[in-house]
Amino acid sequence: MGKSRSFLEAYGLPIYVYPMVVVLIILFATCTEYEEAMGGAPITTATVNGKTVYARGVSNTKFDNPIMTYPMYMDAIAMCAMGFGFLYVFSKYYAWSGVGYNFFICGFCFLWIAIVSCFVNSMWKGEFVKTKINIETMIDSNLVTAAVLISFGAFYGFISPTQLAIICIIEPFVMKINEHIIFHEFHVQDAGGSLVTHAFGAYFGIAVAVGMKVKPSKLKPEYRTTQYFNDMGAMIGTIVLWIFWPSFNGALLYNDTRLQGRVVMNTYIAICGSCVTAFATSTAANKGRLEMIEIQNATLAGGVIIGMISSFLIDPWVALMIGAIGGTISSLGYSKLHPLLEKFGITDSAAVQMLHGIPGLLGTIFAAFGVLADNANFAYSYDTQWISTLNVKHSRGQQFGYIVASLILTLVMSIVTGVLTGLLVNLPIFPRLKHDEMLIDHDHWHVHGSDPRKKRYSSHAKDVVEVKVNDTAH
């Protein structure tokens, strides 16, 4: 079953996580409460025949009831748990960890983000503000969790479960601070999270790998492989993400159904465009054959790149053009740019920069120029239910500047804190993996099968062919 492990290496996860759960329960008791609409109808009393009786009020509210947004919440959680989960089964020897750790991130972060929101809101308001638990909180938790799942793709296979738990504490806190500054100080909105979710998650994750000093040249090539059925499983994740992406981008806009409908339609058109151009570009870039990693990922780039501008008043052909550009750029990134970056020692296990990082930054740039192009877009660049435009006096040029400032802030916050987090989790107090222990399940799961590290090849071993991922792009 591989090398012998120390007590901390074997039991680090329960040693760290059980105390974290106790603290989480205490913080939930202190920092959260149900919104009135969720807390139960009022109880009234009356005296009947000398006896006190109790009557529970019944609410017949329909549209205004937050529970009406539950279907979109379900779409968003399906993206996180199923979409990303299946997408991360591409690795031949790390599939269980890919889908399993993805599940752990969802469970922990969905809860932790409610506490983080309390801390961040209280910091800015100067008074203690409890988080109201409602459907909006649940959807927001999904959107923040998505950033952590994106980051996981960057250091996929390089961390122990204990290190992952620590990252799940730190990253949501930093992301919510970055998001709060952008939404409430810069007054820039990002309906689909091109910048605050996708770009932040990608560059935070890459920075963590840099801080952990993971070197592509030191990773075992035989573990950086995939096989036919792993890629088929990952393709299921791609299709789940592709189906539900419009809901993900529009889920928080339930207070404005027109705006929500526009976000959904623009996302739908854009992600269809990226699907088409990803197939064409992959064929053109790989000598007339499709590359599966590019189809699994670049087909989704339209949902990322359209995110910030999806709420703008743009024509359908504009959404299609933006999505088509996203699919093309993403596919070229996987085939050409990612292998080049690895030669310079930049490690990005699932190449999340090519799906989330670069398309997210491009989407922000499109939104910035969209503000300059039209007064209506200037209004929609900050007029959502998140903030009030009351007393906000930005010219179009100023709003352009604030969007650019948001991009710079996100890059600085994600990269600096990501490197520091990587250095932190690499300390000896946390179980760590050596390069020859990365990208393999067998030290942390009871795997039903032989350990490939102990595999003894027959005299015909030279006839066994591994399916090598394109230039280690996975």
Side-chain angles (χ1 to χ4, degrees):
M1 288 301 296
K3 70 180 183 68
S4 59
R5 298 184 292 158
S6 68
F7 183 82
L8 183 61
E9 289 174 325
Y11 296 100
L13 189 63
I15 289 172
Y16 280 92
V17 168
Y18 276 127
M20 287 164 57
V21 172
V22 172
V23 171
L24 191 62
I25 293 171
I26 295 171
L27 289 175
F28 245 77
T30 307
C31 301
T32 69
E33 62 184 2
Y34 279 118
E35 189 178 54
E36 282 187 23
M38 296 291 141
I43 303 297
T44 58
T45 61
T47 302
V48 179
N49 298 327
K51 295 182 179 180
T52 301
V53 296
Y54 297 88
R56 177 177 63 85
V58 178
S59 173
N60 60 1
T61 305
K62 295 180 180 179
F63 177 78
D64 292 333
N65 193 332
I67 204 66
M68 297 301 291
T69 63
Y70 190 73
M72 276 201 162
Y73 159 77
M74 287 298 296
D75 292 350
I77 199 173
M79 282 187 63
C80 289
M82 294 177 59
F84 282 106
F86 280 108
L87 191 63
Y88 287 151
V89 302
F90 63 81
S91 178
K92 183 175 182 179
Y93 297 118
Y94 200 72
W96 285 17
S97 295
V99 69
Y101 295 161
N102 185 93
F103 197 14
F104 172 82
I105 293 170
C106 289
F108 183 83
C109 288
F110 288 165
L111 298 172
W112 174 239
I113 291 160
I115 306 301
V116 170
S117 296
C118 172
F119 291 160
V120 173
N121 291 332
S122 298
M123 285 167 51
W124 252 267
K125 292 186 177 181
E127 59 180 341
F128 185 70
V129 181
K130 288 188 176 184
T131 297
K132 301 288 187 181
I133 301 298
N134 52 29
I135 296 296
E136 181 181 353
T137 305
M138 295 166 66
I139 294 173
D140 181 62
S141 296
N142 273 268
L143 303 184
V144 179
T145 298
V148 183
L149 297 175
I150 292 164
S151 298
F152 175 56
F155 47 74
Y156 175 98
F158 306 152
I159 59 173
S160 68
T162 308
Q163 289 174 308
L164 179 61
I166 302 303
I167 293 170
C168 286
I169 292 177
I170 297 171
E171 184 176 0
F173 199 93
V174 179
M175 182 193 164
K176 289 298 288 185
I177 292 175
N178 180 71
E179 178 188 84
H180 193 97
I181 294 172
I182 291 173
F183 288 170
H184 300 286
E185 301 299 326
F186 292 173
H187 299 291
V188 171
Q189 69 95 357
D190 187 3
S194 292
L195 185 63
V196 298
T197 298
H198 297 283
F200 183 94
Y203 291 107
F204 183 93
I206 294 169
V208 168
V210 171
M212 292 175 63
K213 300 180 175 63
V214 179
K215 301 296 182 184
S217 59
K218 294 183 179 181
L219 297 169
K220 283 184 170 289
E222 59 269 30
Y223 296 165
R224 303 198 77 185
T225 59
T226 185
Q227 58 185 356
Y228 195 84
F229 289 105
N230 288 87
D231 274 331
M232 280 300 300
M235 195 63 190
I236 294 173
T238 297
I239 293 172
V240 170
L241 290 167
W242 193 83
I243 291 171
F244 292 128
W245 212 294
S247 292
F248 183 85
N249 282 1
L252 271 179
L253 298 169
Y254 55 84
N255 285 344
D256 188 338
T257 54
R258 287 187 179 182
L259 183 61
Q260 187 180 62
R262 186 162 66 249
V263 169
V264 168
M265 290 298 102
N266 283 334
T267 304
Y268 161 76
I269 293 169
I271 204 167
C272 287
S274 64
C275 178
V276 174
T277 56
F279 273 86
T281 307
S282 179
T283 304
N286 294 286
K287 300 179 180 179
R289 293 189 178 183
L290 294 166
E291 183 64 49
M292 188 51 128
I293 181 179
E294 296 167 25
I295 303 306
Q296 290 165 353
N297 293 277
T299 51
L300 304 171
V304 177
I305 198 171
I306 198 69
M308 183 178 281
I309 202 173
S310 62
S311 59
F312 288 14
L313 287 172
I314 57 176
D315 290 327
W317 71 267
V318 177
L320 175 56
M321 179 186 68
I322 291 173
I325 292 172
T328 302
I329 296 296
S330 180
S331 185
L332 287 174
Y334 277 98
S335 61
K336 305 300 180 184
L337 181 57
H338 179 77
L340 179 64
L341 293 176
E342 288 218 333
K343 290 180 180 179
F344 288 98
I346 299 176
T347 310
D348 181 2
S349 189
V352 296
Q353 182 177 199
M354 306 309 154
L355 171 56
H356 303 279
I358 293 175
L361 297 180
L362 286 175
T364 304
I365 294 170
F366 280 133
F369 282 99
V371 165
L372 290 179
D374 189 279
N375 278 323
N377 288 340
F378 157 65
Y380 282 108
S381 71
Y382 66 85
D383 186 13
T384 73
Q385 86 276 11
W386 289 313
I387 61 175
S388 170
T389 58
L390 184 65
N391 297 323
V392 176
K393 304 295 184 181
H394 291 175
S395 67
R396 285 188 292 171
Q398 287 173 326
Q399 191 68 5
F400 173 91
Y402 276 110
I403 294 175
V404 173
S406 299
L407 187 152
I408 296 171
L409 174 69
T410 298
L411 286 175
V412 172
M413 288 277 286
S414 60
I415 293 173
V416 172
T417 58
V419 171
L420 293 175
T421 301
L423 293 171
L424 173 66
V425 298
N426 224 28
L427 294 175
I429 58 173
F430 303 115
R432 298 171 292 174
L433 304 180
K434 297 177 181 178
H435 278 82
D436 60 357
E437 299 166 349
M438 294 177 177
L439 289 162
I440 189 165
D441 284 329
H442 294 66
D443 283 334
H444 296 101
W445 297 81
H446 285 292
V447 180
H448 309 296
S450 60
D451 189 331
R453 294 169 293 188
K454 293 185 176 182
K455 192 173 182 179
R456 303 198 180 279
Y457 293 92
S458 68
S459 58
H460 299 290
K462 61 183 180 180
D463 297 325
V464 177
V465 179
E466 292 280 3
V467 180
K468 187 71 166 61
V469 177
N470 180 37
D471 289 324
T472 66
H474 266 317

